[in-house]
Amino acid sequence: MSEPQTLPAALQSLLDREAIRDCLLRYCRGIDRCDEDALRSAYWEDATDCHGAWNGSAAGFIAQALPRLRQGGRRVHQITNVLIELHGDVAAVESSFIALQSTAAQPDRETFLCGRYADRFERRGGEWRVAARTVVYDWIEERTRPELAQDDAALFGARQPVGGRAPHDAVYALLHNVRGG
């Protein structure tokens, strides 16, 4: 438990925590929508990422992941149980994730992953981003789901629109409209 804070310090803490949560969610949008700008905005340029088979620069992770993700498949990443320990311009952040994935190469193969992002966040120029990430895997289930290989119309029927890649997903039309573009 932390010591009681003065009101300005407590407000800054809340602002910092919200900025970190926003960054975590931009990462999820970036992965799920193949949105390179959102994905890169979650990491500092010199960040590292230990992500399963990938262990190196975050830029390298993005460079090898995006072409594969853009081939197709379905992805949903959700962040839960975010614990943030602030230490000035550095934070230790543990956030649980749930990911459901299929690939273009095996559209009928579903992978369900649960784990945690163990992140070192840094605030630079007033902005929080991931400086170092280690992905910890806690659960995996894989199964064959033949219905996933169907096209969107057959799979979702009247449940439209369906999720898509940037910039064609419905959220990008919303953002364009709200931003007055």
Side-chain angles (χ1 to χ4, degrees):
M1 220 52 202
S2 62
E3 293 294 315
Q5 298 177 323
T6 63
L7 188 56
L11 289 176
Q12 186 59 56
S13 175
L14 288 172
L15 291 171
D16 291 340
R17 291 168 188 281
E18 188 59 24
I20 288 169
R21 284 185 189 91
D22 186 70
C23 182
L24 290 167
L25 299 177
R26 282 196 319 272
Y27 169 82
C28 290
R29 177 185 284 168
I31 285 291
D32 290 345
R33 304 281 71 86
C34 299
D35 183 334
E36 185 171 356
D37 291 339
L39 197 51
R40 290 191 186 283
S41 78
Y43 292 98
W44 289 114
E45 296 79 16
D46 59 346
T48 60
D49 193 318
C50 178
H51 209 114
W54 179 265
N55 189 0
S57 71
F61 167 71
I62 294 167
Q64 63 86 33
L66 277 177
R68 221 173 352 99
L69 297 172
R70 287 178 174 149
Q71 290 175 2
R74 302 179 190 281
R75 285 164 296 288
V76 176
H77 287 73
Q78 296 186 354
I79 300 280
T80 65
N81 302 345
V82 179
L83 290 171
I84 301 168
E85 191 174 301
L86 296 168
H87 297 277
D89 289 335
V90 177
V93 180
E94 178 188 33
S95 47
S96 298
F97 70 83
I98 298 168
L100 194 54
Q101 306 173 42
S102 69
T103 65
Q106 292 184 295
D108 64 341
R109 187 84 176 150
E110 174 186 83
T111 302
F112 175 70
L113 292 167
C114 296
R116 290 165 287 130
Y117 300 126
D119 293 331
R120 175 187 170 93
F121 268 76
E122 293 181 4
R123 178 174 45 201
R124 302 178 189 175
E127 182 179 2
W128 288 97
R129 293 187 188 191
V130 175
R133 166 166 284 175
T134 299
V135 180
V136 180
Y137 295 95
D138 293 317
W139 188 270
I140 186 170
E141 289 182 22
E142 294 184 296
R143 62 184 140 206
T144 301
R145 301 253 329 266
E147 69 275 14
L148 292 179
Q150 299 177 77
D151 67 17
D152 287 348
L155 184 61
F156 291 98
R159 295 177 189 93
Q160 299 291 325
V162 298
R165 291 184 295 216
H168 307 290
D169 187 83
V171 75
Y172 296 97
L174 170 65
L175 292 170
H176 180 76
N177 187 334
V178 168
R179 292 173 179 160

